[in-house]
Amino acid sequence: SLGNEIIPAKYLYARPFSMEGNALVVLDTIITHKIDTIFDFTNIKRTLNIKYGYVNTLNEFIFEKPSIGTVLLSTIDNVQDKFEEFCLDHSFRDGLALIEDYKTGLKGYINVKGDTVISAQYKDAKYFNEGIAPVQLPYNIKNREEVGKWGFIDKNGNRIGNFTYSQLTVLRQGRANATITYNSYEDYSIDGELSKDKDGNVVVDKSKKKSIKREEGDAPSIGWANYLVDKKGQIIKQTGMLRHYFNFSDDGISLGVPNQLGQFLGIDCEFIKTDGSSIKPATAD
């Protein structure tokens, strides 16, 4: 706080120190390209490779060897954004940090001693906050209704609520933003109607299952819905499909910014409270 140099500028990147007194630092990065050519079609796959470790306030590495992380990049991904997202997710929060099994690509969590406390079993995962983390189930599970779905776990790896969502953000102020998407390109069936039970859990009413037959020339059916959910993954309120909502601030306010469809329709930004209600702008008398 006095401006004295504690650790010299020697790293490519560094995250702030955690409450446990360590910080993620990046030692090296490289982007690799793999070119697959099939007939006249060329597919270029980009991978961002990150060599990183954790230092304490004395600039000592808390683990003997650095780790190597990989981030697959699509053609539209911003490299800097994906890099910073990786470093944020792999930093220690609530005493745990993400790890990745490089043989399977699945993710889990370690503690500050380097012990694996939650095995690498998730397709994707984010950092812990308020004792809870959002994780994505892999695609090779037996329960087809949960394939690739997101939900919450606690620090012991126990599930919290149902795994129902296509996307789920990190919990903050006891709230998170969730999305449910669907798409179909041929005949398909709807498993039921989405609702909540008496305890607030998301359930599917199987009695309302129905089959949809597509006619020739029909466009693909694609849609999504956004929800504000609590720390149990229970829906508080549907927030619509025209805005992207950011995590709540310390004073319990979230900003909703129009997405591409919302911009096309000319809607404005809005602020919401933790109960999902919109904050109306002050007006002069």
Side-chain angles (χ1 to χ4, degrees), residues 174-229:
R175 299 290 185 264
N177 296 305
T179 302
I180 295 177
T181 60
Y182 67 88
N183 63 75
S184 63
Y185 295 87
E186 52 190 26
D187 292 350
Y188 64 98
S189 63
I190 296 176
D191 291 332
E193 185 175 289
L194 189 69
S195 62
K196 293 194 294 183
D197 62 19
K198 62 180 181 179
D199 297 319
N201 293 310
V202 179
V203 296
V204 177
D205 185 351
K206 297 288 187 179
S207 67
K208 296 184 179 179
K209 181 174 181 177
K210 61 181 180 179
S211 297
I212 307 296
K213 184 173 181 59
R214 297 179 54 76
E215 301 295 335
E216 185 177 353
D218 282 352
S221 176
I222 301 173
W224 70 92
N226 299 321
Y227 300 91
L228 179 65
V229 300

Side-chain angles (χ1 to χ4, degrees), residues 112-209:
V112 292
K113 296 181 180 180
D115 302 322
T116 299
V117 295
I118 300 176
S119 63
Q121 56 187 290
Y122 304 110
K123 173 69 170 59
D124 200 358
K126 297 185 178 298
Y127 62 88
F128 271 87
N129 198 44
E130 301 178 14
I132 294 173
V135 297
Q136 182 187 23
L137 298 178
Y139 293 104
N140 60 350
I141 58 177
K142 294 181 179 179
N143 186 349
R144 301 303 300 173
E145 293 183 356
E146 292 187 337
V147 168
K149 296 298 178 62
W150 285 81
F152 287 128
I153 60 170
D154 63 20
K155 294 172 70 173
N156 294 317
N158 299 317
R159 287 194 187 192
I160 302 174
N162 298 329
F163 278 62
T164 312
Y165 302 108
S166 307
Q167 297 178 31
L168 187 61
T169 65
V170 173
L171 192 75
R172 200 161 194 274
Q173 297 288 316
R175 299 290 185 264
N177 296 305
T179 302
I180 295 177
T181 60
Y182 67 88
N183 63 75
S184 63
Y185 295 87
E186 52 190 26
D187 292 350
Y188 64 98
S189 63
I190 296 176
D191 291 332
E193 185 175 289
L194 189 69
S195 62
K196 293 194 294 183
D197 62 19
K198 62 180 181 179
D199 297 319
N201 293 310
V202 179
V203 296
V204 177
D205 185 351
K206 297 288 187 179
S207 67
K208 296 184 179 179
K209 181 174 181 177

Side-chain angles (χ1 to χ4, degrees), residues 194 224-228 235-241 245 276:
L194 189 69
W224 70 92
N226 299 321
Y227 300 91
L228 179 65
I235 291 176
I236 296 173
K237 184 177 180 180
Q238 184 170 345
T239 54
M241 56 189 298
Y245 289 86

